[in-house]
Amino acid sequence: MTERYVLDLQEVDETQVAVVGGKGAHLGGLSRIEGIRVPAGFCVTTDAFRRIMAKAPSLDDRLDQLSRLNPDDREAIRTLSAQIRRTVEGIAVPDDLTAAITRALTRLGEQAAYAVRSSATAEDLPTASFAGQQDTYLNVVGPTAILQHVNRCWASLFTERAVTYRQRNGIDHRTVHMAVVVQRMVFPHASGILFTADPVTGNRKVATVDAGFGLGEALVSGLVNPDVFKVRHGEVVAKAIAAKQRAVHALPTGGTQEVAIDSRRQEQPALTDAQVVRLVQLGRRIEAHFGRPQDIEWCLVDDGFQIVQSRPITTLFPIPETGDQENHVYVSVGHQQMMTDPMKPLGLSMWQLTAMVPMHAAGGRLFVDVTRRLASPASRAGLLDVMGRGDPLVRDALETVLDRDDFVPSLPDAGPGGTPTGGASATIETDPAIVTELIERSQVSLAALERDIRTKTGPALFEFLLEAFAEHKRVLSDPLSIQAIMAGMEATWWLNDTLQEWLGEKNAADTLTLSAPDNVTSEMGLALLDVADVIRPHSEVVAFLQGVEDEGFVDELAKLAGGTEARDAIEAYLDRYGMRCVGEIDITRPRWRERPTTLVPVLLDNVRNFEPGAAERRFEQGRQKARQKEQDVLSRLRALPDGDRKAGEAKRMIDRVRTFIGYREYPKYAIVSRYFVYKQALLEEAERLVQAGVLPEKEDIFYLTFQELHDVVRSNQADDRLIQQRKDALRSYHALTPPRVLTSDGEAVTGAYRRDDVPAGALIGLPVSAGTIEGRARVILDIAEADLEAGDILVTTFTDPSWSPLFVAVAGLVTEVGGLMTHGAVIAREYGLPAVVGVERATRLIRDGQRIRVHGTDGYVEILP
């Protein structure tokens, strides 16, 4: 019975995390790999920990208190976790447990020195490394000291940082148990860390070795700068040797101390190149065993390497699975669709099933493989041009990859390898009736979908939806629709390029497109101003809305004076725009119709900041400005040599851009309108599954792909474990930053703006809407948190159409993601807001409340003193 409290490292492997914790399980797995040496030792199992915890019944209440605390309440967490640690450290270790640990020490050498290391059940996991969350004690000598330090490791499960980490990651304190690893101490000449993938770029072909003298604690604690070696294909390709002034050494009596390194040795490499290459070979063997890139702690003892820890590198962005060994280059879909958050599995698969090109999922995001189009010189030029106009950082990243030696093969002009970059836009007439017809076609298709889906349930619904997706793609790929979109975009590019050449004026199209007709997204922002006009006169309704928390508030309005009109105005708005929401390409995101409280802060801002009739006035002002700009441009052109021809060409392009640029926003509106119909049908199906006891809650369907959900509906059986794994994975994906460009080596290529025409210290981005504005920065990451005043400048990660109602209330826009033709840019131009997009890390570099100046014509942002 007592032996289950102690297991030799040789007896365990990575399947036994629940028994010996993450570190113990990994060390056991490591010790089984041929050619890998791991210092001898044993694990004190989680059974021992549970037995200790059971000896203090008061701990239960304290854990309950702990789980109720806010992760940001540092003081309360510090106090309560310290009480729990003191209680655990004060528990006497039972005799049979003491005897089991002492017997294990006798086998290994009672008076030898040991490392005593925490090994929690929720650490070194693929999705959360928990690095540094619990404690390690080095060079512990003698059974009494070892038992004392085992007790300290148990208590270290409740350090302030470990508790906070678990709360932030949504991990229940009761589900995590602590094992302890006791290992023979090694006294190395050198030690350090090996990453089997480059932790900065993510490149899986490049290994990085950090090395220093003495024990690894000097590196881990940041006491010294390490030597850094980079190894690719079995050779050292880069190295930086640091001046290593200090090292941590073991004391003969136990414990460790810092020592100064002889000045003649400080600049010597801690490892030779040959040793580095040999270490990386061992690392590749470990990586192959665990099946993913590893962060490995190593020691060099008498010219042999010993491995003292290996954990997955959790910060790497995953690579799309292809099943081949070829090189691939992927471009992020999220950066083009203004949605870089991770998507749930149902959202990913629905977008894949309705998209016009094949898309690959990784890290909860979607990517398009552009390798074929980069490989052929003809399609490469077109791709780079379109990408560059949309987002210069993507173009620069692609060019960086192309500059690499033979990463992208050079092919003769490829056959069909994706969508054409343009379309036969020259053949379309400048005729507003085309836009009217396209909108009508889309509405007819949507009405048919709404009518036909009503009678479909069970497996028949899924068969119907697959047909509906085919119709969805047919509407999207309508040649006339593509021509109309391209006509508006190409006219914009022509006006900007040509008027800069002829008149020396930048971004002239920004003013010429103000208040363009048929723009469903800008109409949506103005329509909410009209709703505010209905509400503003009724003080009781305004007061009620200020306290709204429940999603059923719209029905409550009728009880108030003026409430019926307010309810009708909000209902009419939701009927037209209720399918929209932030991140709307993910079908699982709550729509405004499902969560109308999202709109309340914006509506109240509009009530406070605007006068009645603001929507009509703003639209008319924009139209007048555009008309004046047109007259100004044409008269200046006529004064030039060959002026009448130039003015004639410009006039044709101005008419063209005003005819078609508003339609640019319609296809997305049509997509999300269809999406809401699909979603409502699937949620009704989910409700049946909940009633039948197949799923605990409706939203669980969001963690299944469309095909998996189809299977669940057919079989009436769901895999609860799979759903839980998907929930855990999604949580981990939120911590990852998706790259604009990703290679099959795992390298995240960021791209750079190659510009020297901006002031020092300015934040560079892409100019998408002309003008210069100064104001207070409001850094807003959630539309429901909006609290804006006139003259504020909105700073956020990305804006999709759902942010448009905020645009009427702000004076300028700065985003981290975006391009010239993405929705935020189009609407900023419509409303005449100076805007700069694609500003890397804008929400971190600009603080909420700072004064900033946005240079929308030149594409940079200044932070003002």
Side-chain angles (χ1 to χ4, degrees):
M1 185 70 180
T2 55
E3 279 308 303
R4 68 179 184 159
Y5 293 133
V6 172
L7 291 172
D8 192 272
L9 272 183
Q10 302 283 340
E11 295 177 74
V12 301
D13 62 24
E14 53 272 37
T15 63
Q16 289 163 281
V17 171
V19 182
V20 295
K23 189 175 293 150
H26 272 81
L27 283 167
L30 281 167
S31 65
R32 292 159 176 249
I33 306 172
E34 195 179 331
I36 302 299
R37 289 165 59 199
V38 175
F42 59 89
C43 299
V44 182
T45 66
T46 52
D47 285 340
F49 172 77
R50 273 190 285 269
R51 185 157 167 210
I52 290 293
M53 294 292 280
K55 286 174 73 75
S58 66
L59 284 172
D60 261 2
D61 290 344
R62 288 196 175 140
L63 287 177
D64 279 342
Q65 280 175 269
L66 199 57
S67 61
R68 287 196 294 271
L69 292 178
N70 183 322
D72 295 323
D73 191 347
R74 303 275 303 269
E75 195 51 49
I77 288 175
R78 185 176 299 129
T79 307
L80 194 50
S81 59
Q83 287 173 7
I84 295 172
R85 279 200 311 283
R86 276 197 301 277
T87 304
V88 174
E89 284 183 20
I91 297 169
V93 180
D95 291 348
D96 57 341
L97 186 46
T98 301
I101 293 170
T102 309
R103 273 199 302 278
L105 284 170
T106 306
R107 282 199 304 275
L108 289 174
E110 206 167 283
Q111 289 310 310
Y114 289 87
V116 182
R117 313 168 72 195
S118 310
S119 179
T121 53
E123 72 175 6
D124 295 354
L125 306 178
T127 55
S129 77
F130 286 73
Q133 295 309 313
Q134 282 89 36
D135 292 349
T136 285
Y137 303 98
L138 298 177
N139 203 31
V140 184
V141 179
T144 308
I146 285 168
L147 280 163
Q148 186 186 359
H149 284 87
V150 167
N151 205 318
R152 280 191 192 166
C153 281
W154 288 328
S156 78
L157 191 61
F158 302 103
T159 60
E160 182 190 345
R161 66 179 184 272
V163 166
T164 305
Y165 190 96
R166 287 197 293 274
Q167 282 183 282
R168 287 195 191 287
N169 282 279
I171 293 164
D172 181 352
H173 302 297
R174 294 171 187 284
T175 62
V176 184
H177 299 119
M178 180 65 85
V180 182
V181 175
V182 180
Q183 266 180 302
R184 281 290 292 259
M185 193 66 197
V186 291
F187 301 103
H189 159 71
S191 58
I193 300 159
L194 156 64
F195 297 98
T196 64
D198 188 317
V200 178
T201 69
N203 194 325
R204 311 304 202 263
K205 300 270 176 75
V206 175
T208 302
V209 175
D210 290 3
F213 294 122
L215 290 165
E217 289 304 289
L219 298 192
V220 174
S221 63
L223 184 64
V224 297
N225 288 328
D227 296 340
V228 181
F229 302 85
K230 290 196 182 294
V231 176
R232 186 185 177 99
H233 299 320
E235 62 176 311
V236 176
V237 291
K239 60 180 162 183
I241 307 305
K244 299 168 287 296
Q245 292 165 345
R246 308 190 74 69
V248 173
H249 283 180
L251 292 168
T253 52
T256 60
Q257 74 172 113
E258 280 177 42
V259 296
I261 294 174
D262 183 309
S263 59
R264 288 164 302 186
R265 282 187 68 219
Q266 287 179 7
E267 306 266 352
Q268 279 181 3
L271 296 177
T272 65
D273 284 11
Q275 286 171 327
V276 170
V277 170
R278 191 160 82 243
L279 176 61
V280 170
Q281 285 169 346
L282 296 176
R284 292 284 176 224
R285 202 175 289 178
I286 294 168
E287 179 183 65
H289 175 83
F290 289 120
R292 60 180 62 233
Q294 297 288 301
D295 160 355
I296 297 164
E297 289 179 32
W298 56 268
C299 296
L300 178 65
V301 190
D302 304 328
D303 203 40
F305 287 104
Q306 299 213 23
I307 305 299
V308 293
Q309 186 154 337
S310 185
R311 62 167 77 95
I313 308 175
T314 56
T315 54
L316 298 175
F317 200 87
I319 307 170
E321 289 176 19
T322 57
D324 63 36
Q325 298 301 308
E326 305 295 314
N327 287 349
H328 294 270
V329 182
Y330 302 99
V331 170
S332 161
V333 172
H335 285 81
Q336 292 161 22
Q337 289 293 340
M338 298 300 93
M339 177 24 199
T340 53
D341 291 346
M343 294 165 73
K344 296 190 181 84
L346 186 64
L348 285 169
S349 65
M350 293 283 277
W351 193 261
Q352 285 172 307
L353 286 165
T354 51
M356 302 310 299
V357 292
M359 292 188 176
H360 306 267
R365 279 79 167 188
L366 290 168
F367 295 87
V368 172
D369 187 342
V370 295
T371 323
R372 286 285 302 277
R373 288 170 66 189
L374 284 177
S376 136
S379 57
R380 179 189 310 148
L383 178 72
L384 290 175
D385 182 49
V386 167
M387 290 293 173
R389 285 185 183 276
D391 183 341
L393 292 177
V394 173
R395 177 179 182 138
D396 188 73
L398 290 173
E399 287 176 334
T400 302
V401 175
L402 285 167
D403 288 343
R404 303 271 162 79
D405 297 341
D406 301 330
F407 186 83
V408 177
S410 208
L411 298 174
D413 286 351
T419 54
T421 50
S425 50
T427 59
I428 193 174
E429 294 295 316
T430 302
D431 178 2
I434 292 173
V435 173
T436 310
E437 183 193 337
L438 284 167
I439 291 172
E440 276 174 11
R441 281 188 201 175
S442 182
Q443 286 171 338
V444 166
S445 173
L446 178 66
L449 172 68
E450 289 173 330
R451 182 189 67 234
D452 296 344
I453 204 168
R454 284 189 195 126
T455 56
K456 307 292 188 289
T457 61
L461 170 67
F462 289 82
E463 301 302 333
F464 171 80
L465 282 171
L466 288 171
E467 289 170 25
F469 298 163
E471 166 66 3
H472 181 123
K473 288 161 92 163
R474 189 193 65 73
V475 171
L476 268 187
S477 61
D478 181 336
L480 190 64
S481 176
I482 292 167
Q483 286 175 332
I485 293 166
M486 290 308 299
M489 284 164 57
E490 286 173 356
T492 305
W493 297 336
W494 188 94
L495 285 165
N496 281 339
D497 294 348
T498 310
L499 296 181
Q500 180 154 12
E501 185 190 328
W502 288 347
L503 298 175
E505 184 164 343
K506 286 183 183 175
N507 301 353
D510 293 2
T511 312
L512 293 166
T513 52
L514 287 172
S515 299
D518 299 312
N519 188 321
V520 68
T521 309
S522 63
E523 287 164 7
M524 177 170 78
L526 296 173
L528 203 62
L529 286 175
D530 291 335
V531 177
D533 286 354
V534 175
I535 287 167
R536 194 178 291 108
H538 305 296
S539 55
E540 214 179 312
V541 172
V542 173
F544 169 75
L545 288 175
Q546 281 163 343
V548 155
E549 286 180 4
D550 181 5
E551 297 303 343
F553 76 91
V554 179
D555 296 332
E556 299 290 307
L557 284 167
K559 300 173 187 169
L560 309 172
T564 307
E565 297 96 302
R567 182 196 63 197
D568 292 349
I570 291 171
E571 278 292 341
Y573 186 86
L574 290 173
D575 284 346
R576 179 137 169 75
Y577 303 111
M579 76 296 286
R580 307 222 85 149
C581 67
V582 172
E584 60 194 10
I585 70 168
D586 182 350
I587 200 169
T588 71
R589 289 288 191 101
R591 312 281 135 178
W592 291 343
R593 173 53 86 184
E594 296 169 300
R595 198 175 285 175
T597 51
T598 309
L599 290 171
V600 171
V602 193
L603 196 47
L604 289 171
D605 282 347
N606 287 351
V607 167
R608 191 175 69 243
N609 293 333
F610 291 92
E611 296 294 316
E616 197 176 338
R617 269 198 312 280
R618 288 195 59 144
F619 189 76
E620 192 48 42
Q621 282 165 358
R623 235 171 42 156
Q624 294 294 345
K625 268 193 200 165
R627 189 173 296 148
Q628 285 161 8
K629 184 70 175 176
E630 178 181 334
Q631 289 166 353
D632 169 57
V633 163
L634 296 179
S635 67
R636 283 160 63 199
L637 286 174
R638 287 191 195 102
L640 297 175
D642 198 15
D644 285 347
R645 179 188 65 79
K646 287 176 176 167
E649 279 186 47
K651 171 66 175 149
R652 277 196 300 279
M653 283 301 177
I654 291 168
D655 290 348
R656 197 165 177 77
V657 84
R658 289 195 68 79
T659 300
F660 292 118
I661 201 66
Y663 178 71
R664 163 85 181 82
E665 291 294 297
Y666 197 85
K668 184 81 169 278
Y669 175 76
I671 290 171
V672 293
S673 299
R674 294 181 73 90
Y675 258 34
F676 195 37
V677 179
Y678 305 153
K679 182 181 190 179
Q680 288 167 306
L682 290 171
L683 282 173
E684 282 174 24
E685 209 53 48
E687 185 58 52
R688 280 189 279 278
L689 292 169
V690 171
Q691 297 299 328
V694 177
L695 291 175
E697 49 193 51
K698 280 197 305 188
E699 282 74 20
D700 283 349
I701 69 165
F702 297 161
Y703 296 92
L704 300 169
T705 66
F706 181 81
Q707 187 56 54
E708 288 165 348
L709 179 54
H710 190 178
D711 293 342
V712 168
V713 168
R714 261 200 300 250
S715 66
N716 258 358
Q717 287 182 310
D719 183 344
D720 297 340
R721 265 205 336 242
L722 175 69
I723 290 170
Q724 189 53 52
Q725 279 169 359
R726 296 272 175 80
K727 289 179 179 178
D728 294 343
L730 183 77
R731 198 179 293 121
S732 73
Y733 295 154
H734 273 286
L736 300 174
T737 302
R740 281 176 164 81
V741 171
L742 179 68
T743 74
S744 47
D745 285 354
E747 184 177 1
V749 193
T750 48
Y753 291 108
R754 312 286 173 185
R755 289 175 54 188
D756 52 12
D757 59 342
V758 297
L763 310 179
I764 302 176
L766 182 65
V768 295
S769 186
T772 302
I773 192 77
E774 264 183 43
R776 177 179 70 153
R778 293 311 317 271
V779 180
I780 297 174
L781 302 179
D782 178 351
I783 192 171
E785 305 292 313
D787 179 15
L788 296 164
E789 289 175 15
D792 283 349
I793 296 168
L794 173 61
V795 180
T796 189
T797 42
F798 56 80
T799 62
D800 58 15
S802 71
W803 287 75
S804 303
L806 256 61
F807 284 21
V808 297
V810 297
L813 173 70
V814 179
T815 68
E816 295 182 348
V817 176
L820 197 60
M821 285 296 166
T822 46
H823 303 274
V826 172
I827 305 308
R829 290 194 288 274
E830 280 275 314
Y831 288 167
L833 297 180
V836 180
V837 302
V839 179
E840 292 279 83
R841 299 173 57 237
T843 58
R844 280 164 282 183
L845 296 171
I846 299 169
R847 286 199 312 279
D848 187 52
Q850 276 185 319
R851 286 194 68 75
I852 61 173
R853 186 182 296 131
V854 177
H855 295 262
T857 310
D858 293 313
Y860 63 91
V861 180
E862 290 179 282
I863 299 174
L864 302 176

